[in-house]
Amino acid sequence: MLQSNESILVFDLETTGPDPQRDEIVQFGYCIIESGQVSPGVDIMIKPEKSISDGASRVHGITYEDVKDCQTFKEVSSEIQAVVGACDGLCGFNSLCFDWPILKRQLKSMSGDSVVNLTPELPVIDVMKLYHKRAGGGDLQSALRVYCNRDLPDAHKASIDSFATAEIFNKMVHLYNFKSIDEIIKDQMERPSDWIDDDGKIVWRDGEAVIPFGKHSGKSLKTLCRHDRGYLNWMLSGSFPQKTKEIIHLALKGHFPNQGVSHA
């Protein structure tokens, strides 16, 4: 179990689209872990300044009609900042590449509007990185099956996703004997030797660069370039790390990773 005095905010966002640099939050869901206990999930609905893309609505089911009468991010930012600032660390699933960059950007945009100063030094635990490193990868639903032996109803409702992430995290703490947030951060930063990119989205398998997650789990970049280039283009347009996208971009042009060459 973690040190008893460490509290962790587990959060998840639903947004207007997949771009962490431009899109906005429409639902902020969270729960808090203290002494291994998970609080009930909370959802805050938010009216964005930009439109919600059709693709995003298909994923999370939220349309502009659902949030048109809700408070704006400016109006709820103090409440969110208070929740963030009260914890010793943050946690999410794909939080480092997607949720935290969006939340941090939007909170910083409010810094001139009497919002408490953001504390960027807060440690951010990414359960997805830990899952990919320890168990080979997959999405939140697959992680919940692996660690908690259950399915995820109502996926892409932020509070439900955050609660599921908290459950997985607690199982990881017990299974891997983590003692502190600092120990977890150090662990997630250590890169396994079979990773080609920085996030384990492309890995070495028998000398081939392979995708280890999703519907094409176990297939090589060469195979996908021949049979499903659309999937690789989907990855390029999504919230994947920049290094991952650079490798995919080169693969689509016929240049594949070489295991004897550094790709750091």
Side-chain angles (χ1 to χ4, degrees):
M1 181 179 293
L2 297 182
Q3 297 172 7
S4 59
N5 62 336
E6 290 186 322
S7 63
I8 298 174
L9 174 69
V10 186
F11 74 102
D12 184 76
L13 309 179
E14 303 302 340
T15 62
T16 58
D19 189 338
Q21 303 304 318
R22 295 181 178 84
D23 281 302
E24 299 177 14
I25 302 166
V26 297
Q27 187 180 53
F28 175 85
Y30 71 92
C31 57
I32 297 171
I33 301 175
E34 291 185 298
S35 300
Q37 301 299 308
V38 184
S39 70
V42 176
D43 278 311
I44 300 174
M45 303 299 293
I46 300 169
K47 177 183 176 181
E49 293 184 2
K50 67 181 298 182
S51 61
I52 304 172
S53 70
D54 291 340
S57 289
R58 283 194 295 271
V59 171
H60 52 54
I62 300 170
T63 66
Y64 186 76
E65 287 296 309
D66 298 319
V67 294
K68 66 179 182 179
D69 297 321
C70 294
Q71 291 181 300
T72 65
F73 188 84
K74 180 178 180 179
E75 292 169 321
V76 302
S77 57
S78 294
E79 177 184 356
I80 292 175
Q81 174 61 45
V83 172
V84 171
C87 292
D88 298 298
L90 307 178
C91 177
F93 199 91
N94 197 27
S95 49
L96 286 173
C97 291
F98 187 73
D99 301 84
W100 180 230
I102 292 182
L103 179 59
K104 181 167 62 174
R105 171 173 55 81
Q106 288 203 243
L107 284 172
K108 282 187 173 180
S109 73
M110 297 293 105
S111 60
D113 295 295
S114 69
V115 175
V116 178
N117 287 335
L118 187 65
T119 51
E121 68 275 8
L122 272 177
V124 181
I125 298 165
D126 193 332
V127 169
M128 187 183 78
K129 286 183 75 73
L130 294 171
Y131 173 43
H132 287 188
K133 178 179 178 180
R134 299 279 185 159
D139 60 11
L140 179 61
Q141 297 222 32
S142 70
L144 194 62
R145 294 188 193 105
V146 168
Y147 287 96
C148 303
N149 195 32
R150 75 172 181 87
D151 290 320
L152 180 62
D154 298 322
H156 297 293
K157 181 177 181 183
S159 62
I160 290 176
D161 286 2
S162 64
F163 193 90
T165 301
E167 286 186 276
I168 297 165
F169 175 78
N170 274 343
K171 291 287 187 180
M172 287 178 163
V173 168
H174 176 74
L175 185 63
Y176 306 131
N177 197 31
F178 291 131
K179 300 299 184 184
S180 69
I181 293 174
D182 287 344
E183 181 184 341
I184 296 169
I185 296 298
K186 181 180 178 181
D187 185 275
Q188 78 178 16
M189 289 177 65
E190 292 176 350
R191 175 173 160 174
S193 60
D194 63 344
W195 285 15
I196 301 175
D197 60 355
D198 297 327
D199 208 47
K201 295 293 191 299
I202 306 172
V203 300
W204 294 117
R205 294 288 185 270
D206 298 323
E208 290 283 343
V210 166
I211 301 291
F213 67 92
K215 68 178 184 178
H216 288 311
S217 179
K219 293 183 180 178
S220 70
L221 289 182
K222 290 180 180 178
T223 296
L224 291 176
C225 282
R226 287 196 299 268
H227 300 294
D228 195 350
R229 296 174 70 88
Y231 186 80
L232 296 178
N233 282 315
W234 167 78
M235 290 183 67
L236 287 177
S237 66
S239 59
F240 291 90
Q242 184 59 35
K243 184 63 179 179
T244 307
K245 292 183 177 182
E246 290 173 4
I247 294 170
I248 291 171
H249 181 73
L250 288 171
L252 286 168
K253 291 186 172 183
H255 305 292
F256 299 98
N258 185 326
Q259 194 163 12
V261 176
S262 173
H263 299 276

